[in-house]
Amino acid sequence: MSQAALAERSAKVRSSLEAITFEDGIGADIVGFDFDNIDEAQVAQLRSIWLQHGVVRFRGYQISDEQHMLLTSMLGEFVKHPRQLKGEEGAHPRHEEILVIGNEEVDGKVAGTMGNSEATWHTDTWFYEKPPAAALLHAIKLPPAGGDTMFADMYAVYEAIPEGLRKELEGRLVQFDRVYDAAGRLRLNQSVPDTDDIRLWPGVRHPIVRTHGESQRKCLYIGAETSSGWIVGLPLDESSAILKELFDYVRQPRFHFTQVWEDGDMIMWDNRCTMHRRDGWDGQYVRVMHRTTTEGERPFYTY
């Protein structure tokens, strides 16, 4: 294809891709994305919209696993969750890049991670040195009701907390344990700690107020509602009280967008500046989702 033809095609793509902002909270629907002809021009525009809105939705598309993976690969390097590797509970039968989340039984065994329980507020794999940036979740099979996913705008939460608390948190680190996941299960290759003092557990430290690596905006970064966190340097009781107060803000509906899933929906969110949770559903019904993630920067803070 000639340079002129490429330029003409890119111009058409730029003019056809549209973001329709959700009425409540964060997020936007993406209209006009061509999954049959994914190119750098489309992905660049999509990335710009995603960085602006934090959460974007593809609704009414027919998206294959291969298209899902291609789009992900053009957004960044894949991150593979330990539970999606071959032989693990969330492994995809063909593509190691995809984590299977759900409760479907295959050959008498649940093929998916997390089951149908409610998932509390969290950021994906917050315990990594470099937690994921983009996360793309595609609905494969849905129950008739339940399993909705809520997203919280952590830019807005940061801006809403009292100024005095913001100043107290700026520049501080929060330590997240690597031992237990958000469901309270031991992580792979971890053992039960020999002390109750979470400060001594294996963990990772990140800024509790982080600077987004692309937007340069500040947001709150607090891991998971059910994880063991410690604001470094504070007494444990004071740290726990502050984290509880921060999660009280996260739970406020004014910061939320609720995704009521429809067949084939795919949501792409920015894991650096949002948190999410999921409702449970009647376990007699199957819900299967395919998720990919891309590598992000190591969280940092700039004054």
Side-chain angles (χ1 to χ4, degrees):
M1 184 179 291
S2 70
Q3 288 295 110
L6 278 171
E8 181 181 1
R9 181 162 177 255
S10 294
K12 288 179 179 178
V13 167
R14 284 194 294 273
S15 64
S16 63
L17 199 58
E18 183 181 359
I20 301 177
T21 304
F22 298 145
E23 291 183 4
D24 298 321
I26 56 174
D29 270 316
I30 297 295
V31 178
F33 194 87
D34 186 355
F35 277 94
D36 292 324
N37 298 285
I38 302 176
D39 62 15
E40 292 182 2
Q42 276 196 111
V43 174
Q45 189 180 10
L46 171 63
R47 187 180 200 93
S48 177
I49 295 169
W50 168 68
L51 288 172
Q52 177 184 351
H53 293 281
V55 178
V56 295
R57 179 173 63 193
F58 301 91
R59 172 162 282 178
Y61 295 85
Q62 299 294 320
I63 305 169
S64 67
D65 283 341
E66 289 71 23
Q67 290 169 330
H68 181 169
M69 290 190 300
L70 175 58
L71 173 56
T72 306
S73 71
M74 295 178 73
L75 292 164
E77 295 293 325
F78 282 101
V79 172
K80 296 179 183 178
H81 191 284
R83 296 190 186 278
Q84 75 190 70
L85 303 181
K86 187 175 181 180
E88 297 298 331
E89 60 183 317
H92 188 281
R94 298 183 307 280
H95 305 298
E96 199 172 74
E97 295 82 1
I98 293 175
L99 172 69
V100 179
I101 301 171
N103 64 328
E104 185 173 39
E105 286 195 10
V106 178
D107 298 328
K109 178 181 176 183
V110 175
T113 184
M114 292 182 71
N116 69 310
S117 60
E118 178 181 340
T120 56
W121 288 107
H122 66 284
T123 299
D124 283 337
T125 47
W126 65 93
F127 55 93
Y128 280 20
E129 291 289 337
K130 296 168 70 173
L136 295 89
L137 188 64
H138 185 207
I140 305 301
K141 296 181 181 179
L142 295 173
D148 299 341
T149 307
M150 280 63 73
F151 295 89
D153 181 351
M154 299 307 289
Y155 290 135
V157 171
Y158 165 74
E159 291 166 1
I161 62 176
E163 183 179 0
L165 180 55
R166 282 206 309 273
K167 288 181 177 178
E168 183 177 348
L169 296 177
E170 302 261 350
R172 283 195 177 274
L173 299 177
V174 57
Q175 178 173 301
F176 303 123
D177 84 78
R178 295 181 181 270
V179 181
Y180 296 101
D181 65 18
R185 303 174 300 179
L186 277 173
R187 297 194 187 281
L188 296 177
N189 304 316
Q190 293 292 333
S191 56
V192 176
D194 57 9
T195 175
D196 292 332
D197 190 339
I198 63 172
R199 295 171 294 186
L200 303 179
W201 292 4
V204 63
R205 293 181 177 184
H206 291 314
I208 195 167
V209 176
R210 70 178 290 182
T211 302
H212 193 285
E214 293 180 81
S215 73
Q216 301 303 306
R217 295 175 62 190
K218 292 178 183 177
C219 62
L220 206 60
Y221 194 71
I222 49 178
E225 192 173 7
T226 55
S227 68
S228 298
W230 169 52
I231 302 174
V232 178
L234 295 183
L236 281 174
D237 57 349
E238 184 178 345
S239 169
S240 296
I242 290 174
L243 289 172
K244 180 182 182 301
E245 180 180 355
L246 296 177
F247 274 107
D248 285 343
Y249 277 91
V250 173
R251 286 187 286 269
Q252 293 181 25
R254 59 180 168 140
F255 303 120
H256 300 168
F257 157 65
T258 298
Q259 162 67 1
V260 180
W261 292 92
E262 295 185 6
D263 288 342
D265 278 358
M266 186 162 77
I267 291 279
M268 171 178 156
W269 70 92
D270 192 329
N271 192 55
R272 298 165 291 186
C273 60
T274 66
M275 297 189 80
H276 59 282
R277 64 170 297 274
R278 186 199 68 212
D279 284 339
W281 69 95
D282 188 332
Q284 69 175 304
Y285 298 107
V286 167
R287 180 182 187 270
V288 178
M289 316 293 280
H290 287 177
R291 193 195 77 188
T292 56
T293 52
T294 68
E295 186 176 77
E297 70 275 8
R298 198 185 197 291
F300 64 95
Y301 171 77
T302 54
Y303 286 92

